[in-house]
Every structure is written in structure tokens, then in C-alpha cells.
Amino acid sequence: MAVPYTEIVMEEQSKETRRERSASYGYNINGNTASNPGICAYLLTGISVLLILCTFPLSLAFCIKVVQEYERTVIFRLGRLRRGGARGPGLFFIIPCIDTYRKVDLRTVSFDVPPQEILSKDSVTVAVDAVVYYRISNATIAITNIEDYGRSTRLLAATTLRNVLGTKNLSEILSERESISHVMQENLDEGTDPWGVKVERVEIKDVRLPVQLQRAMAAEAEASREARAKLIAAEGEQKASRALREASEVIADSPAALQLRYLQTLNSIAAEKNSTIVFPIPLELFKGFSKRMEVK
């Protein structure tokens, strides 16, 4: 499937922007670092190699190093970055007298952002903490362009959390955590890209409200629930009254239905409890007997 021309142009512009940003921050991975080290550098290198040869094979213990599969090593020779970028995984060779190296762990690292007191857009103070997952995407840039990428990433995450949540209302902070996390991840990834750090995920852990605000919100929720309960009860009473009115109309049209209702009520009471029942006898039961007496 052919890639649209606009996407290719945007990708090239993005790569060019990253190259310019890396160059402006220090080490440029695409730049030419080769230059003449000078006579002193060659002289010291020769002396160091001669010492290694004189102390062979004991010098192998100091010259051969090992890095794990998840690690990379950045080597400096006389203060200058060696060609080829980071070494590893596996074995690599150094000259102890003139070479220094630093190991970088490429595994994903997580850290907790300390709780931040944030004033939301609707002037509500909340305490929010988060967790950030990041990894080293370029070991050479992470060592050469920033002193401590871990501490810098933590500080940037705290400030980004405050800046992003400061533009949100309290309701948005409580209900739109996923979108807030996505915005924070994009901002952090853009800020740490010149450091060779890739922010993989950001999650909002907890949003703590003041005690007075919690009580006010609880009272508001309770009042709304009570109002809904009263509305439901009123609707039930209205439906029940309509049903009773229809039943009374049916009973008024048929007096025998009232007598059957009385007998049904007596039957249900006697089935539940065997006790003495005082039950009013309706006068409608004697109307039939009175009519017979008059006829006789």
C-alpha cells in the first residue's frame, strides 16, 4: 500500500526537527564527531597499549568488560566519545588508562510523581499524584546531553502534571483521567526526546479533595438522591391512587365484588396467623336477607 506524500513530508519534518533539537541540546547523533585527537592523545594511547602488552595476560581482566542484554555502554576515550555509539550487549574492549565508560539500563523504569497541590480552573485545590513509565531510547544521547536523565524526568513529570491539571475543572479532573494521562504522556515524550528518553505511559493514581469539599459533595449527592426518592414515591402514590379509583368504580358497579374482596381478605389473614380476627361486617351482606323478609 502506497504511503501518502503528506505523511512522508510530515515524517521527514519531524525527523529534521528532532535532529535540530538534538544538535541544539548538545551531542548530535547524526553529526560528524571525527577530528584529529592530537599528538598527546596518540602518545598516551601508545603508552597504554604498551603497558597492556607488558602485563599480558593479567591486563585482560581490566580490558575486557561484559554488558547484559538489557544494557548498553557508552565509552569515552580521553574525554571524547568513541565512534560507533553505545556498545553491547556482550563483550567489549577498553584501554584502562585512557578509557572510561558508563552503563545504561534500557529496561522500562517506573516512578511515582509526588502528590502535587494543584489549583484547578474553577479555583478548587486538589492533591494529585501519578505514575510514569519510561525507558532509554538512545543511550548515547542520554549520557552526553543531560547530567541525570532520571532526576530530570521526575522533575519534568511533576511540573507537567501541575501545568496540565491547572487548565482543567474539578469535574474534568475526576471524569477525564484517561485523556489527561494521554496529554501528559505526549508532553513528557516531547520534552524528554532530546534526552534520549521515551515516555511510554502516564497514569493518574489518585485525586484527593479537601475534607470540607468532600462533605459538601456528599451532602449534595445525598440531597439529590433524596429528591429522586421523593419523586419516585410520588409517582408510585399517583399510580396507586389511579388503580384504587379504577377498582372503586368496578366495585361500585358490582356490589358482590366487595363481598368477595372481604372474603378473600379474611382467607389471607387466616392463612398467615391463627388468631381471633375482629372484622367489620358490611351492611351489603344483609341487603339480600332484608329484601327476602319484605317479600314474605
Side-chain angles (χ1 to χ4, degrees):
M1 184 177 62
V3 180
Y5 176 74
T6 54
E7 295 184 4
I8 297 177
V9 173
M10 292 178 63
E11 185 177 358
E12 292 296 331
Q13 291 178 354
S14 177
K15 292 181 180 179
E16 187 67 26
T17 303
R18 292 188 177 184
R19 284 195 291 264
E20 292 177 357
R21 188 184 302 160
S22 299
S24 63
Y25 274 86
Y27 173 73
N28 185 3
I29 192 172
N30 297 313
N32 184 14
T33 57
S35 61
N36 189 8
I39 299 176
C40 294
Y42 287 119
L43 181 61
L44 291 175
T45 302
I47 295 174
S48 300
V49 172
L50 182 61
L51 290 176
I52 292 173
L53 295 177
C54 293
T55 57
F56 187 84
L58 296 178
S59 59
L60 293 178
F62 301 94
C63 297
I64 298 177
K65 302 296 180 180
V66 180
V67 289
Q68 304 297 328
E69 184 69 29
Y70 53 84
E71 293 178 333
R72 297 294 183 271
T73 301
V74 180
I75 303 175
F76 297 91
R77 175 163 296 175
L78 295 175
R80 299 179 63 85
L81 183 67
R82 290 193 60 185
R83 298 180 183 179
R87 303 294 197 277
L91 297 174
F92 66 95
F93 183 84
I94 64 170
I95 301 177
C97 300
I98 60 175
D99 285 351
T100 58
Y101 67 94
R102 288 185 60 181
K103 291 183 180 181
V104 180
D105 196 331
L106 301 184
R107 292 177 292 181
T108 300
V109 181
S110 63
F111 64 89
D112 293 328
V113 180
Q116 303 292 316
E117 293 288 339
I118 298 170
L119 184 64
S120 62
K121 191 176 181 180
D122 51 355
S123 301
V124 177
T125 303
V126 294
V128 183
D129 55 352
V131 59
V132 178
Y133 299 86
Y134 74 94
R135 62 178 176 84
I136 301 301
S137 60
N138 191 303
T140 304
I141 294 178
I143 295 300
T144 56
N145 282 8
I146 191 166
E147 179 182 4
D148 188 349
Y149 57 84
R151 179 173 178 272
S152 301
T153 304
R154 288 176 171 83
L155 294 176
L156 183 61
T159 55
T160 303
L161 179 65
R162 298 176 65 91
N163 294 335
V164 172
L165 295 182
T167 60
K168 303 291 184 180
N169 296 324
L170 178 61
S171 58
E172 295 175 349
I173 295 175
L174 297 176
S175 61
E176 299 180 2
R177 292 191 180 186
E178 185 176 355
S179 62
I180 293 174
S181 300
H182 184 67
V183 172
M184 282 191 59
Q185 189 266 336
E186 289 182 348
N187 293 341
L188 279 175
D189 191 24
E190 183 180 357
T192 58
D193 182 70
W195 305 340
V197 176
K198 171 67 177 178
V199 178
E200 296 181 337
R201 191 177 183 88
V202 178
E203 292 292 339
I204 303 296
K205 290 178 59 178
D206 189 19
V207 179
R208 290 187 293 273
L209 304 177
V211 178
Q212 296 180 353
L213 182 59
Q214 293 180 10
R215 293 176 180 175
M217 294 177 67
E220 181 182 359
E222 184 178 359
S224 62
R225 286 194 297 268
E226 290 180 355
R228 288 195 299 268
K230 290 180 179 179
L231 289 175
I232 294 172
E235 291 177 358
E237 292 290 339
Q238 186 179 9
K239 293 179 180 179
S241 62
R242 291 177 181 176
L244 290 174
R245 186 186 65 181
E246 294 176 359
S248 63
E249 292 176 355
V250 173
I251 292 174
D253 295 338
S254 178
L258 180 61
Q259 299 176 11
L260 294 175
R261 183 60 182 162
Y262 273 111
L263 294 176
Q264 185 180 3
T265 304
L266 285 173
N267 187 20
S268 62
I269 294 174
E272 292 179 359
K273 294 181 180 180
N274 295 325
S275 59
T276 304
I277 300 172
V278 179
F279 195 83
I281 300 176
L283 297 178
E284 285 78 2
L285 294 176
F286 298 99
K287 288 184 179 180
F289 294 103
S290 61
K291 289 181 180 179
R292 293 178 183 177
M293 294 296 293
E294 291 177 357
V295 171
K296 293 180 178 181

